Amino acid sequence: MGEANRVNFYGLSLLELEEYLLRHDFKKFHAGQIFEWVYQKRMIDPEHMTNLSKCLRTFLNDTFSFSLLEIQTIHESEDQTKKYLFKLEDGHLIESVLMRHDYGNSVCVTSQVGCNMGCAFCASGLAKKVRNLSLEELVGQVVAIGTNEQIRVSHVVVMGTGEPFDNYEAIVRFIALINHDKGLAIGQRHITVSTAGIVPKIMAYANEPIRSNLAISLHAPNDQLRTRLMPINKSYPIRKILEATDYYFSKTSRRVTFEYVLLKGVNDQKEHIDQLAKLMKGRNAYVNVIPYNVVKEFAFLPTDNAQAMIFVDGLMKQGIQATLRKEQGSDIAAACGQLRRRWDSKNPDDCD
Ligand code: SAH
């Protein structure tokens, strides 16, 4: 069977692999062994899966493709952050970021080719969504980076290009797979999904059996300003988002993070601190204040450090939990909001 006809291994849950094996007269417990080889021992050649019979190894070889996402380039930042550019099978390019922390290795995953949210400050929205990423392309980003670096990826943030809740089904399956103890075994509390605020999907996520930390990109404390910065606010205004996160909290008892990128003179003034504190009051919420990373196409400027501290302190003085995020990788355009759709210069047809 040619490579193209094979089933992509990274698109299968453990249960689906078990069913697949059963249908082909193999015992289902082998699925767990195969998962451990691939996801934990990073062995993707069935020939070397030594606890499997020759017959099963041949079957795996003939049936599945274990090939990793194709790495186009890797850029390394001064702080050791690495930006991976992957080439997908249909030629589209996506970016993922590896961040080294003292607590582990974190991968920032892209959820779509392009993005339709159109946030006024974010590079990812400069090119419209072309398509959702498949489960295997989501898992593939984490596996390819772990394998290439020979490291265990301990944390995943779905904060790359795209709106994860606009690719909901694949994202939920992705989280289940990377969380599975025979998969990458990444704890639910080590996975974070960030959404621009797709309210029905926040509600749905509250009812999933497996979920991650949830972060909401708020970025403005009133609807007028938020609509200007994030057009999605016309469909799902702040009040609706808070209703959804209250519901999420009632179902999960998990604290929600609100992300707030500081734009100089736009959303970083005293009135904004007070409005934001009022929104957060009485909620088990946490505000992650993010320094703005400059995107050359936009006129926004970052708030200076002193004002950023005033902003965080102002929230804390009003009893709101808040921290200032440390940004990594901005020198290689790998920081939040700097990932964008790129194209292959050798394949100009790919370009919009
Ligand atoms: N669509 C999702 C996932 C993107 S996550 C979402 O909106 O949450 C990326 C995070 O970085 C979001 O909070 C986004 O608003 C923020 N961001 C976008 N552009 C940025 C920039 N230039 N500097 C800092 N943060 C930015």
Side-chain angles (χ1 to χ4, degrees):
M1 209 190 290
E3 181 77 7
N5 298 324
R6 291 190 192 154
V7 176
N8 189 309
F9 181 82
Y10 308 103
L12 293 177
S13 67
L14 183 69
L15 199 71
E16 287 165 343
L17 182 60
E18 286 177 352
E19 285 164 359
Y20 212 104
L21 293 179
L22 279 176
R23 276 205 305 280
H24 292 84
D25 297 327
F26 291 103
K27 299 237 163 51
K28 75 174 190 182
F29 79 90
H30 293 306
Q33 295 175 313
I34 301 165
F35 256 49
E36 281 170 4
W37 277 113
V38 172
Y39 288 117
Q40 289 168 16
K41 299 181 193 146
R42 292 192 288 268
M43 169 49 66
I44 58 169
D45 179 355
E47 277 314 304
H48 294 287
M49 298 181 185
T50 45
N51 57 356
L52 307 180
S53 67
K54 176 83 189 117
C55 172
L56 178 52
R57 282 184 271 159
T58 307
F59 171 77
L60 293 178
N61 219 352
D62 291 345
T63 312
F64 297 107
S65 160
F66 294 89
S67 350
L68 298 171
L69 278 190
E70 186 184 328
I71 299 171
Q72 181 95 351
T73 51
I74 303 172
H75 286 101
E76 184 161 4
S77 140
E78 282 164 8
D79 60 21
Q80 280 201 323
T81 299
K82 285 189 186 172
K83 183 165 74 174
Y84 276 72
L85 186 66
F86 292 111
K87 185 165 182 180
L88 306 178
E89 273 184 11
D90 60 3
H92 290 305
L93 299 177
I94 56 164
E95 297 182 320
S96 323
V97 180
L98 167 66
M99 290 159 286
R100 305 296 197 116
H101 302 289
D102 44 13
Y103 56 79
N105 301 308
S106 175
V107 169
C108 177
V109 167
T110 277
S111 56
Q112 300 178 315
V113 178
C115 181
N116 274 349
M117 294 298 107
C119 299
F121 48 85
C122 179
S124 301
L126 285 168
K128 290 283 150 257
K129 175 177 108 178
V130 177
R131 66 172 178 84
N132 280 329
L133 294 191
S134 62
L135 176 62
E136 54 261 36
E137 290 165 336
L138 295 166
V139 175
Q141 296 171 59
V142 185
V143 173
I145 292 178
T147 304
N148 191 55
E149 303 278 336
Q150 289 295 304
I151 52 165
R152 171 163 194 272
V153 175
S154 58
H155 293 68
V156 164
V157 295
V158 188
M159 295 192 181
T161 301
E163 168 48 46
F165 280 0
D166 185 33
N167 185 12
Y168 184 80
E169 207 189 315
I171 290 293
V172 169
R173 296 191 67 203
F174 166 66
I175 288 164
L177 184 51
I178 62 172
N179 170 250
H180 200 288
D181 57 3
K182 298 246 191 284
L184 292 171
I186 303 176
Q188 292 185 46
R189 284 179 167 69
H190 288 185
I191 306 169
T192 302
V193 171
S194 175
T195 175
I198 315 284
V199 165
K201 295 301 189 304
I202 298 172
M203 310 285 272
Y205 203 52
N207 294 312
E208 294 291 344
I210 298 172
R211 36 184 135 60
S212 60
N213 300 321
L214 178 64
I216 310 284
S217 292
L218 191 64
H219 304 326
N222 63 65
D223 281 322
Q224 200 193 2
L225 181 55
R226 192 166 191 272
T227 300
R228 213 182 102 206
L229 298 176
M230 302 179 70
I232 186 75
N233 196 62
K234 280 184 251 151
S235 311
Y236 304 118
I238 296 175
R239 185 176 53 81
K240 290 275 173 211
I241 291 179
L242 293 178
E243 277 171 21
T245 54
D246 287 348
Y247 175 73
Y248 182 87
F249 185 75
S250 74
K251 283 288 190 181
T252 66
S253 303
R254 308 259 305 250
R255 185 178 75 167
V256 174
T257 297
F258 290 89
E259 295 160 281
Y260 196 100
V261 60
L262 285 181
L263 305 167
K264 190 182 175 94
V266 176
N267 65 354
D268 64 350
Q269 301 297 301
K270 166 97 176 72
E271 66 199 84
H272 303 118
I273 302 175
D274 295 342
Q275 289 170 6
L276 182 57
K278 212 160 149 198
L279 291 180
M280 296 292 118
K281 195 119 232 154
R283 299 198 146 84
N284 197 333
Y286 159 76
V287 180
N288 195 355
V289 178
I290 309 174
Y292 177 61
N293 298 303
V294 173
V295 176
K296 66 175 186 318
E297 286 86 345
F298 305 129
F300 295 109
L301 295 171
T303 298
D304 50 60
N305 242 336
Q307 181 61 24
M309 295 309 290
I310 290 172
F311 197 92
V312 173
D313 284 348
L315 290 173
M316 292 203 294
K317 281 201 188 99
Q318 301 191 49
I320 311 301
Q321 303 173 65
T323 50
L324 190 61
R325 184 190 285 175
K326 183 172 158 281
E327 284 299 296
Q328 289 186 267
S330 54
D331 56 330
I332 54 164
C336 283
Q338 294 184 316
L339 300 190
R340 57 177 74 214
R341 207 185 140 210
R342 299 194 187 267
W343 51 83
D344 188 350
S345 54
K346 286 183 259 116
N347 186 5
D349 292 345
D350 247 6
C351 167
D352 306 12

